[in-house]
Every structure is written in C-alpha cells, then in structure tokens.
C-alpha cells in the first residue's frame, strides 16, 4: 500500500473517530419528506425493485435499482437504473440506464453498492444467471465510477477471481473498515442458492483490485433442499461498529427459531464468523425480507416491514447499545412495503442530523413504487 493511501486511511480513521465520539446522544426521528423516485410501469419498465442507496465521495446521493422489463419475476431481462441527487435529496436527476442485459432469460440481479473513501471509487456489484433460469453458470460482475457516479466503467468479471458459485451480494451496501483490525478492507456480504445457502462475505485489501471469500456461515443441512424451520441465512447487510467488529443483520429465510432477524458477528474483519457469535433478535419481527441497518454517529438504525407474515408496515428502529435493546420505533409507511436500504452523508456538519431510506412500497402491493424518505434525527423539520 502506498504512503499516500496509508495517510488517507489514518486521516479517515481520525475523522470517523471524532464523529463517533461526539455522537448524537439521543434521537427523535421524524419523516421530513417522502418522494417517489421510481413508479412501476413508467418508461416501459414493468417493475422497479431492489433499492440500493449510497452517499458519494463528494457528499451527494446515488440511488440504484433493477428496472425489470417484463414484470415482477426475479429472473428475466433488466436495466440497471440510477438517479443522482446533488442537493441532499431535494431533487433528483432523471434516471439513467447504466446497463442493459438485452433479452437474457436470467438477467442482471442487484447487488450491492460500495464506496472506497480512500480512492473515492464507487463499486456496484451484480450477477447474471443468479437463478439458473434457462442458464447454468452464475457470473458475478461489478462496475465502478471514479467521478462520483457520473460515468461508469465497463463490467469487470469478478468470477474470474472468486469462481462461479452463485453469490448474491446484499442487497444493500458494502463497507470499508475504518478501525483495526484490517483498516481499509472492503467487505461485501451476501448469500447463495437456497440449497447451498448461507451468509458469505467477499474481501479486498487492495482497494478492489483483487477479491476473495472471507467469513461464511452455511445453511443447515447444506447443499440440500430446505423446508420451513431449517437454518437458512439469506440476504444480509454488514456494518462496522466502533470497536472494529463487524455486525451482519441477516434474513432468516425459513424462520429458524423465530419470525425474526439473525445477527452475526466477526472480530477479525469478516475473515471468519463463529456460530458462538450468532444470535436471534426477537424484537426485530420480520416476514423474511431484505432489511437494512446503518450505524450513524453512535446510533444503530434498522428498517424492515414489521410484521410476522406480510410485507406491510415499514418501520424504523434505533438503538443506543448496538442492538442489545431498541429504544424506539417510527412508522414510515403502514401499507404494503418490502425491501429497504439506508444511508447517511458522512463528515458533513449539517447532514449528520439526517438519514435517508429508500424502500419498496405501494397501496395495493409492495412493488408499486420505490420511495425515498428523508428522516430528521433531531425531531425538527
């Protein structure tokens, strides 16, 4: 690693340490504003799904989703759609189709977005043939941007490094470690096929030039068709806590133990995960869905449709003790709602009082719209 990168990492660690030490003390979240970023059926797109949301290196916002050409199927042909905001979410540029998979029967599937704060590079991960529908080889790709998400590289075939085992990142965001051990490491976590499912993480210690598999918690029984009640970790979201540990909040696909979320911990930069460090958070009632967590200025936030059996009632929760207990909750949308993701704009004196939630919602179904909620943490508009 060059001396310049080492200096940037040390400076970044100092900035994040100051931010977390100051903290938010307590929060009183209220929804400041909600706006529809995507409406299913617009521009000849059947359904918009799988929301990804991230800050950018220059302090802007980037929203990403699958534009499913023919309707709601997880397979089928798609566009990769993006929108950018350069005024903290007040307004959004028109959507851009960054990728078009043509008419593939099992087209691109998102995925995760990741920001390398040192190199100021944004990565977006996706896969082709993730469902083995009329195809037999899953291939993992990423594209990257070095100009704040304005333009994007050609796709990089990541399967040349990690193999063709089906790996579905997120959906959500990847992280860069800010604390020891492994400062600067890039981490993307996800899942695989249902028979061979589990929680898997990809790691890079050279700013995304090379990737390898790190920590794994496999489903039980492994490589076997599952039934209700089996242990099947699925879609997931990692975060880093101030002590350098990695927490992953995981979809409990077949409701092993409870209708709630799995929590997994790593203390070596996601190199390993131990069953001893796995628990279930029964407070986080869940209908099996992709949920989101975000650690922001001393507070842990969580979003999902809070319901045991139906995707309704999108709810924001917050915790002051890293999820040991939950201090409060706020209903974001009481009607049908599905996948969600969160971000905050770091290192901005004004913006630290806000978080952003991009989520699926509707009146008749949870896939009618992708809606952005800007949440004030101070309780003031």
């Amino acid at each position: 690693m060059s001396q310049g990168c080492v200096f940037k990492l040390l400076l970044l660690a100092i900035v994040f340490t100051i931010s977390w030490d100051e903290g938010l003390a307590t929060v009183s979240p209220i929804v400041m504003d909600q706006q529809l970023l995507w409406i299913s059926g617009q521009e000849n797109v059947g359904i918009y799904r799988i929301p990804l949301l991230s800050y950018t290196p220059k302090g802007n916002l980037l929203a990403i989703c699958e534009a499913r050409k023919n309707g709601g199927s997880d397979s089928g042909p798609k566009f990769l759609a993006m929108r950018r905001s350069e005024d903290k979410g007040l307004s959004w540029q028109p959507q851009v189709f960054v990728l078009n998979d043509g008419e593939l029967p099992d087209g691109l599937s998102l995925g995760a977005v990741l920001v390398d704060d040192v190199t100021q590079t944004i990565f977006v991960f996706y896969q082709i043939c993730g469902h083995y529908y009329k195809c037999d080889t899953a291939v993992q790709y990423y594209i990257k941007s070095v100009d704040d998400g304005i333009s994007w590289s050609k796709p990089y075939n990541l399967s040349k490094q990690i193999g063709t085992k089906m790996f579905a990142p997120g959906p959500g965001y990847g992280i860069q470690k800010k604390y020891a051990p492994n400062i600067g490491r890039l981490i993307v976590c996800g899942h695989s096929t249902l028979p061979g499912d589990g929680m898997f993480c990809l790691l890079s210690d050279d700013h995304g030039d090379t990737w390898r598999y790190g920590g794994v918690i496999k489903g039980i029984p492994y490589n076997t068709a599952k039934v209700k009640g089996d242990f099947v970790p699925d879609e997931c979201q990692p975060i880093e806590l101030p002590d350098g540990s990695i927490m992953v909040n995981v979809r409990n696909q077949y409701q092993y133990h409870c209708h709630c979320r799995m929590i997994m911990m790593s203390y070596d930069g996601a190199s390993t995960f131990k069953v001893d460090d796995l628990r279930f958070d029964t407070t986080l009632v869940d209908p099996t869905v992709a949920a989101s967590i975000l650690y922001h200025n001393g507070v842990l936030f969580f979003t999902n449709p809070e319901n045991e059996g139906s995707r309704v009632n999108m709810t924001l929760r917050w915790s002051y003790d890293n999820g040991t207990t939950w201090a409060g909750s706020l209903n974001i949308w009481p009607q049908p709602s599905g996948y969600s993701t969160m971000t905050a704009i770091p290192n901005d004196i004004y913006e630290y009082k806000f978080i952003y939630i991009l989520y699926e919602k509707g009146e008749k179904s949870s896939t009618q719209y992708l809606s952005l909620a800007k949440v004030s943490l101070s309780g003031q508009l």
Side-chain angles (χ1 to χ4, degrees), residues 1 51 65 185 197 220 234 246 251 262 278 283 330 364:
M1 186 181 294
C65 71
R185 171 174 289 178
D197 212 337
I220 303 173
D234 199 77
I246 301 299
R251 173 174 171 166
M262 298 179 181
L278 184 153
T283 301
L330 173 68
K364 298 180 179 179

Side-chain angles (χ1 to χ4, degrees), residues 58 119-122 144-153:
K58 293 184 179 179
T119 64
Q120 297 195 332
T121 302
I122 308 172
K144 63 181 182 179
S145 173
V146 294
D147 59 5
D148 213 57
I150 296 172
S151 64
W152 293 86
S153 71

Side-chain angles (χ1 to χ4, degrees), residues 90-361:
L90 182 64
S91 63
W92 291 82
Q93 297 171 0
Q95 76 169 349
V96 176
F97 291 146
V98 177
L99 292 174
N100 179 359
D101 63 22
E103 294 300 323
L104 289 176
D106 196 353
L108 68 88
S109 297
L110 291 173
V113 57
L114 184 155
V115 177
D116 185 324
D117 291 301
V118 177
T119 64
Q120 297 195 332
T121 302
I122 308 172
F123 297 84
V124 175
F125 296 81
Y126 67 97
Q127 59 180 299
I128 298 291
C129 190
H131 310 91
Y132 299 116
Y133 178 69
K134 297 184 178 180
C135 57
D136 56 14
T137 303
V139 183
Q140 183 68 46
Y141 293 92
Y142 68 81
I143 55 176
K144 63 181 182 179
S145 173
V146 294
D147 59 5
D148 213 57
I150 296 172
S151 64
W152 293 86
S153 71
K154 63 177 180 60
Y156 291 79
N157 185 338
L158 186 55
S159 291
K160 292 180 179 179
Q161 297 180 15
I162 66 171
T164 57
K165 173 183 171 62
M166 198 285 275
F167 173 74
Y173 59 86
I175 60 173
Q176 182 174 45
K177 286 198 92 273
K178 306 301 189 293
Y179 296 101
N182 312 110
I183 294 175
R185 171 174 289 178
L186 304 179
I187 302 171
V188 177
C189 298
H191 70 99
S192 189
T193 60
L194 287 178
D197 212 337
M199 192 280 299
F200 303 83
C201 292
L202 292 181
L203 312 178
S204 175
D205 289 313
D206 55 12
H207 301 285
D209 289 340
T210 60
W211 293 84
R212 67 188 187 280
Y213 278 108
V216 171
I217 294 284
K218 293 182 178 180
I220 303 173
Y222 188 62
N223 273 340
T224 303
K226 305 297 193 298
V227 299
K228 186 174 177 61
D230 282 345
F231 176 76
V232 184
D234 199 77
E235 295 167 324
C236 58
Q237 176 61 64
I239 58 167
E240 183 182 22
L241 296 174
D243 64 358
S245 64
I246 301 299
M247 173 187 285
V248 188
N249 189 289
V250 186
R251 173 174 171 166
N252 185 0
Q253 179 65 26
Y254 284 124
Q255 299 170 337
Y256 178 85
H257 181 71
C258 62
H259 293 250
C260 69
R261 306 292 296 185
M262 298 179 181
I263 311 297
M264 301 179 184
M265 298 295 300
S266 174
Y267 300 95
D268 57 8
S271 293
T272 62
F273 290 85
K274 297 179 180 179
V275 175
D276 292 359
D277 299 318
L278 184 153
R279 65 184 176 87
F280 296 84
D281 192 331
T282 55
T283 301
L284 303 183
V285 173
D286 189 72
T288 64
V289 69
S292 188
I293 53 172
L294 177 71
Y295 192 91
H296 179 57
N297 285 310
V299 183
L300 180 65
F301 297 94
F302 173 81
T303 53
N304 81 327
E306 186 185 8
N307 189 281
E308 282 195 359
S310 300
R311 293 184 178 181
V312 296
N313 195 34
M314 181 59 63
T315 300
L316 171 70
R317 288 186 175 272
W318 56 95
S319 171
Y320 304 120
D321 54 13
N322 298 337
T324 301
T325 61
W326 295 92
S329 65
L330 173 68
N331 184 260
I332 304 296
W333 181 254
Q335 298 182 58
S337 44
Y339 284 27
S340 60
T341 186
M342 288 185 283
T343 196
I345 300 176
N347 308 323
D348 186 306
I349 295 174
Y350 177 74
E351 279 296 310
Y352 87 96
K353 297 179 181 179
F354 304 95
I355 61 172
Y356 298 84
I357 306 168
L358 182 62
Y359 69 103
E360 300 173 342
K361 79 171 187 181

